[in-house]
């Protein structure tokens, strides 16, 4: 019976990480539903971009207050959970504060004091964020698209993080009081918990403090496992997926759109009478015409675009700078990514149920994202520039527009008129080609 705690701990540990691995595999499978895209060039630039943007939070601090608070929460929460190593060892082997044997008393005291200061910064950050999100009225955080689950999810994350930090302080405060009484060896330094909770806990007996310390320890451990598995259902997947998203980000200049090799080949053949229509395609080019131009559903998007959908933080920085949205249009770049993720999840559940995807009569286009949203976009790239983790909602909009134009000939009348003029007059305007240079003679 003396090992019952260790056995329960092991079962929870294996179950927690097992479920987490299962969720990650499901996300990986869903992302692979998109077609492959080669983003392995310029590796050194990609590594530095990931380190600077995902780890260094360089784009977050462009809005200083939110950026610094986010840095508090991000750095504090990540570093504090290094203590998970100590919790795992203590839980499996019944030790107490294992890391002191690795760090030594001096450095371990510095380590625990640092964790306490970071935990306090996390608490400050999540409290400010909760007030800001629910009572301060920041427009991008109170838009209709966040009603319901997105808002609840953001609040639950903040509450969970607050609860975990408070359990951390309770555990340390009870431990500190027991150390002062000589019941436990003096290990570590706890400047925050000893100052705030220490005087309160000093009024209780050793038995209650042992119970409090152990209860907070278990709560912290189970809470971390719960938080880890909750990520699959939450926008906070970006904690993990921001790293691959920034590594696979489009490093080309903003506004540079991809050309279809098959279309480029046809145009070259049309414009060059000496071109060989039977020549082998250039290296890396498509040999055949693709089965579909553009994107109608998530299967037509590439894997990086689907990764972007899962990585969206729903912060709304993209939407807040979108000129179409600012002027009252229906388009919200954030919602483009959220709807893509919703459709991707729906397809994933379809596969889970049937073993393979069974046509459900739905598409990303029209059922999730409307033509009105797509054509409201000015392709200014403000959304991609504003995103703190380099996501690219514009690329999804562009591919869906491409489908409408090239597969369904469903461009708005204004664009059809412009393209007709380009075809007939070699200019967007409707006049005779012979009159093109009249402006020069008028000056």
């Amino acid at each position: 019976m003396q090992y019952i705690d260790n056995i329960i701990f092991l079962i929870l540990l294996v179950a927690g990480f097992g479920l987490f691995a299962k969720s990650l595999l499901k996300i990986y499978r869903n992302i692979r539903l998109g077609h492959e895209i080669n983003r392995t060039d310029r590796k050194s630039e990609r590594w530095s971009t990931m380190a600077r943007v995902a780890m260094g939070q360089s784009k977050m601090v462009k809005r200083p207050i939110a950026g610094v608070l986010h840095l508090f929460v991000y750095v504090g929460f990540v570093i504090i959970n290094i203590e998970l190593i100590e919790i795992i060892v203590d839980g499996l082997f019944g030790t107490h504060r294992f890391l002191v044997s690795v760090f030594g008393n001096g450095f371990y005291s510095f380590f625990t004091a640092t964790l306490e200061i970071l935990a306090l910064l996390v608490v400050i950050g999540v409290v400010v964020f909760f007030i800001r999100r629910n009572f301060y009225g920041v427009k991008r955080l109170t838009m209709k698209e966040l009603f319901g689950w997105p808002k609840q999810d953001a609040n639950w994350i903040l509450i969970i993080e607050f609860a975990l930090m408070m359990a951390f302080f309770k555990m340390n405060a009870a431990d500190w009081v027991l150390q002062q009484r000589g019941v436990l060896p003096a290990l570590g330094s706890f400047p925050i918990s000893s100052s705030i909770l220490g005087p309160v806990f000093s009024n209780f007996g050793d038995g209650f403090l042992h119970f409090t310390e152990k209860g907070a320890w278990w709560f912290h451990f189970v809470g971390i496992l719960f938080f880890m598995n909750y990520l699959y259902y939450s926008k906070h997947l970006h904690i993990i997926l921001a790293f691959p998203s920034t590594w696979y980000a489009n490093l080309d200049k903003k506004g540079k759109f991809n050309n279809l090799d098959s279309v480029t080949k046809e145009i070259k053949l049309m414009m060059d009478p000496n071109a060989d229509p039977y020549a082998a395609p250039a290296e890396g080019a498509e040999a055949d015409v693709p089965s579909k131009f553009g994107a109608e559903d998530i299967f037509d998007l590439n894997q990086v675009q689907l990764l972007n959908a899962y990585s969206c933080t729903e912060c709304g920085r993209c939407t807040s700078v979108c000129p179409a949205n600012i002027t009252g249009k229906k388009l919200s770049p954030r919602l483009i990514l959220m709807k893509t993720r919703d459709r991707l999840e729906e397809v994933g559940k379809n596969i889970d149920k049937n073993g393979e995807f069974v046509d459900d009569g739905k598409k990303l286009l029209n059922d999730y994202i409307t033509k009105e949203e797509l054509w409201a976009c000015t392709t200014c790239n403000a959304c991609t520039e504003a995103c703190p983790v380099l996501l690219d909602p514009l690329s999804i909009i562009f591919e869906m527009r491409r489908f409408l134009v090239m597969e369904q000939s469903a461009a708005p009348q204004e664009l059809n008129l412009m393209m007709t003029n380009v075809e007939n007059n070699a200019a967007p305007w409707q006049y005779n080609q012979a009159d093109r240079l009249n402006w020069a003679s008028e000056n």
Side-chain angles (χ1 to χ4, degrees):
M1 292 296 292
Q2 62 176 323
Y3 298 112
I4 189 67
D5 284 358
N6 308 82
I7 295 171
I8 294 174
F9 183 91
L10 177 61
I11 293 172
L12 290 174
L13 184 68
V14 172
F17 276 90
L19 290 172
F20 181 60
K22 183 180 179 181
S23 297
L24 290 182
L25 288 174
K26 188 178 292 187
I27 292 169
Y28 178 71
R29 179 206 65 190
N30 290 350
I31 290 173
R32 285 181 59 83
L33 294 174
H35 61 80
E36 294 185 4
I37 179 173
N38 185 6
R39 289 274 178 86
T40 58
D41 60 330
R42 300 154 71 175
K43 286 185 172 60
S44 60
E45 186 176 354
R46 294 189 179 280
W47 284 114
S48 64
T49 299
M50 184 182 73
R52 184 179 70 256
V53 177
M55 187 173 293
Q57 307 278 292
S58 61
K59 298 198 72 175
M60 284 296 300
V61 294
K62 288 188 176 182
R63 300 191 181 192
I65 296 176
V68 170
L69 288 173
H70 188 275
L71 198 63
F72 286 169
V73 176
Y74 168 74
V75 174
F77 196 77
V78 170
I79 293 178
I80 288 168
N81 283 315
I82 293 176
E83 194 185 32
L84 185 61
I85 299 171
E86 183 174 64
I87 290 176
I88 291 174
V89 175
D90 288 348
L92 290 176
F93 300 102
T95 55
H96 181 69
R97 296 195 175 275
F98 158 77
L99 285 179
V100 72
S101 64
V102 178
F103 293 155
N105 287 329
F107 186 77
Y108 186 74
S109 294
F110 170 78
F111 173 70
T112 52
T114 301
L115 293 187
E116 290 237 324
I117 294 170
L118 290 174
L120 179 62
L121 294 178
V122 172
V123 170
I124 293 171
V126 297
V127 168
V128 173
F129 280 143
F130 187 87
I131 295 172
R132 184 169 173 265
R133 180 173 289 273
N134 293 281
F135 304 107
Y136 190 66
V138 178
K139 183 180 178 181
R140 63 188 172 91
L141 301 178
T142 56
M143 298 177 70
K144 185 177 180 180
E145 62 206 52
L146 293 184
F147 289 1
W149 172 247
K151 182 175 181 178
Q152 294 172 23
D153 170 45
N155 284 335
W156 275 117
I157 285 291
L158 295 174
I159 291 169
I160 291 170
E161 290 178 343
F162 180 83
L164 288 174
M165 295 304 102
M166 296 312 296
F168 177 72
F169 285 136
K170 284 181 67 177
M171 176 183 72
N172 286 346
D175 202 318
W176 178 80
V177 173
L178 291 172
Q179 290 182 23
Q180 301 308 302
R181 295 177 181 176
V183 178
L184 293 177
L187 303 173
S189 176
F190 314 105
I192 308 301
S193 57
S194 64
S195 301
I196 298 175
L197 296 177
V200 177
F201 283 5
S202 296
N203 298 320
F204 296 99
D206 294 351
F208 176 82
L209 293 176
H210 274 295
F211 176 81
T212 300
E213 191 270 343
K214 205 63 178 176
W217 184 90
W218 276 102
F219 182 90
H220 192 75
F221 168 65
V222 174
I224 290 172
L225 295 182
F226 175 81
F227 179 85
M228 186 170 63
N229 283 281
Y230 176 74
L231 290 179
Y232 174 78
Y233 306 96
S234 169
K235 74 188 183 84
H236 280 69
L237 264 174
H238 73 269
I239 293 174
I240 301 169
L241 298 184
F243 292 90
S245 285
T246 50
W247 200 90
Y248 287 110
N250 185 1
L251 299 181
D252 291 333
K253 292 181 179 179
K254 298 290 188 294
K256 180 181 179 181
F257 293 117
N258 64 311
N259 292 318
L260 296 178
D261 292 322
S262 57
V263 176
T264 302
K265 178 182 176 182
E266 290 298 320
I267 293 175
K268 287 182 178 179
L269 288 173
M270 291 169 60
M271 300 186 68
D272 183 4
N274 298 318
D276 181 4
Y278 303 103
E283 183 180 353
E286 298 178 22
D288 301 312
V289 176
S291 59
K292 183 185 292 184
F293 293 107
E296 181 184 22
D297 207 351
I298 56 103
F299 303 101
D300 308 317
L301 297 172
N302 65 55
Q303 293 173 3
V304 173
Q305 290 167 325
L306 299 185
L307 173 63
N308 281 185
Y310 271 124
S311 305
C312 178
T313 71
E314 298 178 14
C315 66
R317 292 190 179 203
C318 55
T319 296
S320 69
V321 298
C322 174
N325 188 274
I326 292 171
T327 55
K329 304 288 195 306
K330 191 176 180 180
L331 174 65
S332 168
R334 167 174 58 189
L335 198 53
I336 294 293
L337 290 172
M338 291 170 67
K339 288 179 176 179
T340 302
R341 181 178 61 207
D342 289 345
R343 173 58 179 164
L344 185 53
E345 274 295 291
E346 183 178 50
V347 170
K349 292 176 182 176
N350 184 311
I351 295 173
D352 291 338
K353 180 180 178 181
N354 301 297
E356 60 181 1
F357 179 70
V358 176
D359 189 6
D360 58 1
K362 296 181 181 180
K363 303 290 184 183
L364 180 61
L365 178 62
N366 293 326
D367 291 303
Y368 284 82
I369 299 173
T370 65
K371 297 175 184 177
E372 181 183 353
E373 293 172 88
L374 297 174
W375 291 117
C377 177
T378 66
T379 66
C380 68
N381 274 285
C383 56
T384 59
E385 178 63 32
C387 181
V389 288
L390 304 181
L391 307 186
D392 189 5
L394 177 57
S395 68
I396 296 175
I397 294 172
F398 184 76
E399 288 299 329
M400 296 183 77
R401 278 185 173 185
R402 176 178 275 166
F403 175 83
L404 288 171
V405 173
M406 300 185 71
E407 291 284 343
Q408 295 188 338
S409 300
Q413 180 59 31
E414 295 86 351
L415 284 183
N416 285 329
L417 179 61
M418 182 272 291
M419 288 186 284
T420 300
N421 288 336
V422 169
E423 182 178 0
N424 295 332
N425 308 323
W429 303 279
Q430 191 170 6
Y431 54 70
N432 193 295
Q433 289 195 48
D435 298 329
R436 289 190 62 185
L437 295 178
N438 285 352
W439 65 273
S441 61
E442 295 174 358
N443 295 327

